[in-house]
Amino acid sequence: MRILVVGGGGREHALTWKLSQSPRVEALLAAPGSAAMEGLAECHPEVAAADLDSVVKLARESAVDLVVVGPEDPLAAGLADRLRAEGIATFGPSAAAARLEGSKAFAKAFMERHGIPTAKHRAFDDLQAALDYTRAEGGRCVVKADGLAAGKGVSMCESPAEAERALHEIMEDRRFGEAGSRVVVEDWLEGEEASYYAISDGERFVTLAAAQDHKRLLDGDRGENTGGMGAYSPAPVVDAAVEEKILERVVRPTIRGMAEDGHPFVGVLFVGLMVDAAGDPHVIEFNVRFGDPETQPLMMRMEADLAELLADAAGGRLDTDMAIGWGEAAVCVVLASGGYPRSYPTGCPIAGLTEAEAHADVVVFHAGTRRGASGGFETGGGRVLGVTARGETVEAARARAYAAAEAIEFEGAHKRTDIASRALGRD
Ligand code: AMP
Ligand code: GLY
């Protein structure tokens, strides 16, 4: 099989690393890929993931058998539709199905129609109507920009006054641009978060595993929301009973509902959940692609042949009896540039990568690096590296990931010191 991976971040590095282990893979290409992925795939830095024409051209000219799309933006823009129209098997949903992530209002209406548990919500195009609603409801609420805002368009509001501020920022000041022409206001759910992954061919699905990420910048879940400062899998909050509820109440009706509504979901369904005190799952959001950095620990744990799994899903022939097989546990610790998620410098030389990777059961996935003039790696993004380790337990994996991360240095480097701590000492 010849496979093209679209994207060039930590998630795509992890997917490419895992795909490269498949005996069925004959060639791997990446668009744009990254300097760190060069040893695993033929990278095409001239082809941006968002440049649909160039991605389709590359896929056609390179005669690939499968395209695996990493990020959500090209999916929302219709990359999978374009590739399928050319007869190229694609792992990733159509633009219509990608609205599960791309439009919160669409996702909410879908869940309501199909009886999938989620927070009570209202969507508004009009600022005044939104303000009236939050005042009438009183108390805490969550205000979200409707469109894609790179995970940053969500405001947790403790009071109607805070909601008012958030609504003005989103709808009037357009802090998130056009994504803020419509807002969703919803109830604040209590509980513990987890994410759950399933792969679908449009009709059938196989489940992957649960993971948990850490969205806040600082220890103790303080500071600004980020793309994710670390992740671990499994997530102990998702025990067998909770998993069963997730399958029956969320995953199965979602895959069935999307097919019934005329836009079958092909790709990975990533469900962000709040599990309440009674162990009942409520959907916070759907994503239509692998999580970043959750994919890094998931790929380290997965025993199955990823290429076979993704090709079967893309080809509409998923074998629901396929045993995925999961190693015990994995943890990813993100090293970010000083200043992230706001502005940060780039071009800082990175030391200690070889030493970090010499640790047993550790892989350093690159999220935002590039080659410097001296040939070594330097920083090139906000999230720079995802130091990922496997272990018999989350605790062991975490200790390994931190020991390896200690070896890495660059100016201004920031990491959380409490990744996966919620998973420890529970059982
Ligand atoms: P989203 O982009 O919708 O996933 O929201 C980002 C983060 O905000 C989530 O991971 C949660 O931590 C939090 N969040 C969003 N919606 C809610 C809600 N209704 N109740 C509690 N927390 C929420
Ligand atoms: N880590 C969260 C995401 O990928 O959206």
Side-chain angles (χ1 to χ4, degrees), residues 213 215 227 270 287 289 291-294:
D213 86 343
K215 289 204 170 67
F270 155 8
N287 293 300
R289 36 83 198 173
D292 192 346
E294 294 94 319

Side-chain angles (χ1 to χ4, degrees), residues 104 108 119 142 144 151-154 156 186-190 193 213 215 225 272 274 283-285 287:
K104 291 185 193 292
K108 283 292 192 179
V142 182
K144 304 182 176 187
K152 297 173 200 108
V154 175
M156 310 293 298
E186 62 183 50
D187 285 358
W188 181 317
L189 297 167
E190 305 285 350
E193 276 188 77
D213 86 343
K215 289 204 170 67
N225 263 332
M274 190 69 83
V283 176
I284 295 175
E285 63 164 351
N287 293 300

Side-chain angles (χ1 to χ4, degrees), residues 11-81:
R11 160 183 55 208
E12 289 79 17
H13 191 186
L15 291 170
T16 306
W17 173 82
K18 181 67 185 161
L19 288 170
S20 73
Q21 294 164 16
S22 165
R24 298 185 48 188
V25 173
E26 180 192 316
L28 272 174
L29 292 82
S34 68
M37 284 162 67
E38 264 158 21
L40 300 170
E42 173 191 309
C43 294
H44 288 265
E46 74 285 1
V47 180
D51 179 357
L52 306 200
D53 290 340
S54 299
V55 173
V56 173
K57 184 161 171 273
L58 176 65
R60 201 175 42 221
E61 288 175 357
S62 309
V64 300
D65 305 297
L66 174 69
V67 178
V68 176
V69 185
E72 62 271 26
D73 293 334
L75 292 167
L79 178 58
D81 308 79

Side-chain angles (χ1 to χ4, degrees), residues 14 22 27 56 88 123 133 159 189 200 224 268 275 284 320 324 340 351 358 360 367 381 392 398 400:
S22 165
V56 173
I88 302 167
Y133 176 77
S159 64
L189 297 167
S200 176
E224 287 192 81
V268 57
V275 180
I284 295 175
T320 50
I324 305 272
Y340 172 79
E392 308 70 54
R398 175 186 198 248
R400 275 189 196 140

